Amino acid sequence: MTSGGDAAGMNPAVRNAVERAVALGMKPYLIYDGLKGLIDDSIMPAEEVNLSGMLCRGGTMLRTARSKRFLELEHRERAKDNLARRGIDKLLVVGGDGSFRALNQFYSDFGIPFVGIPATIDNDIAVTEYCLGVDTASNVIVNAIDSLRDTGTSMRRAFVVEVMGRDCGYLAMVAALACGAEVCIVPEFEYDLDSITERLKNRLHVERHSVFAIVAEGVKVGDYLTRMFNDNLGVDSRMTVLGHIQRGGSPTIYDRVMGYKFAMEAVNALHRGEQGKIVVYRSGSGFDLVPVQEVAEGKSTVDPVLMEMCRPLSV
Ligand code: F6P
């Protein structure tokens, strides 16, 4: 099952999970539409589904949905019955911490074990350094900003680009560094608009042919900053909200390979009889399994080196 916001890399993960499960002698099923499909019985034996062509597709071919109904015991009971009728006794969910918490509740209710794979473009899940979809979304963002730089430079303009990330500034920070932005504003640290304006004054006319400010959606400062550039910097300014385009696109090689690796770890863990664990990835130690509570209750942190490099762009 894929659940929560879609992310590139979900399809490669699903495909390899099916292959791995079959190789281990298990009989995999696919649950469509996330938790909603679990309640509404949108479940198919994987052997009846043609998975070819799935690897290069963005989003999730299993579709996904956020379901408030799963919070109610009555609906979770329906979900349990749907699984029991087919003899499904383990779950693998590719999604975010909200989905992990939901399945942990499901385990407390009915004892059905699950393992999770973190997937969200926001890269804001605790304990893991990488979530499926982040590399693809970062590349979509960087390509879009490079295009904006072409027009911005041609017309000597300032661009404020708002990127996704919910309350996390990871995407904004990597984009700002990769695109050589002059400004980066994220929820992780304080910013000073007056000193930013002072720093950029005249610069557009002397050293730079364009100015780029990358702002994380969580700060909600994009409109204000654009007006400020217009008024106080004396430069024609435009704002671009990249929006849901950031969630689409064919998964990068990295997301495909990580999808495969996460899935292999997850299916192996289920096969060994693990329960309530999330597969996490850390650059020092590689893949690991951690209890869902650690992930669901923990706080995600952004790489301090990345933060240190971006901090000067906020003042
Ligand atoms: O969590 C992924 C994400 O794309 C966030 O970056 C964004 O804030 C949110 O989902 C958008 O949610 P929706 O697709 O429901 O508009």
Side-chain angles (χ1 to χ4, degrees), residues 66 120-122 164-166 217 244 247:
R66 297 181 174 118
T120 165
I121 66 163
D122 301 339
M164 279 187 167
R166 212 180 287 270
E217 63 174 347
H244 286 79
R247 285 242 294 268

Side-chain angles (χ1 to χ4, degrees), residues 96-162:
D97 45 7
S99 313
F100 301 156
R101 273 191 288 275
L103 286 186
N104 201 35
Q105 178 61 54
F106 196 55
Y107 175 74
S108 312
D109 297 332
F110 310 113
I112 299 172
F114 78 96
V115 166
I117 294 177
T120 165
I121 66 163
D122 301 339
N123 215 19
D124 64 347
I125 298 180
V127 191
T128 190
E129 273 174 35
Y130 191 73
C131 303
L132 287 180
V134 172
D135 189 58
T136 305
S138 309
N139 277 284
V140 169
I141 293 169
V142 167
N143 286 332
I145 298 174
D146 285 350
S147 297
L148 290 171
R149 185 72 92 169
D150 291 342
T151 170
T153 306
S154 303
M155 298 194 71
R156 282 185 177 264
R157 279 177 166 161
F159 267 87
V160 175
V161 185
E162 184 186 279

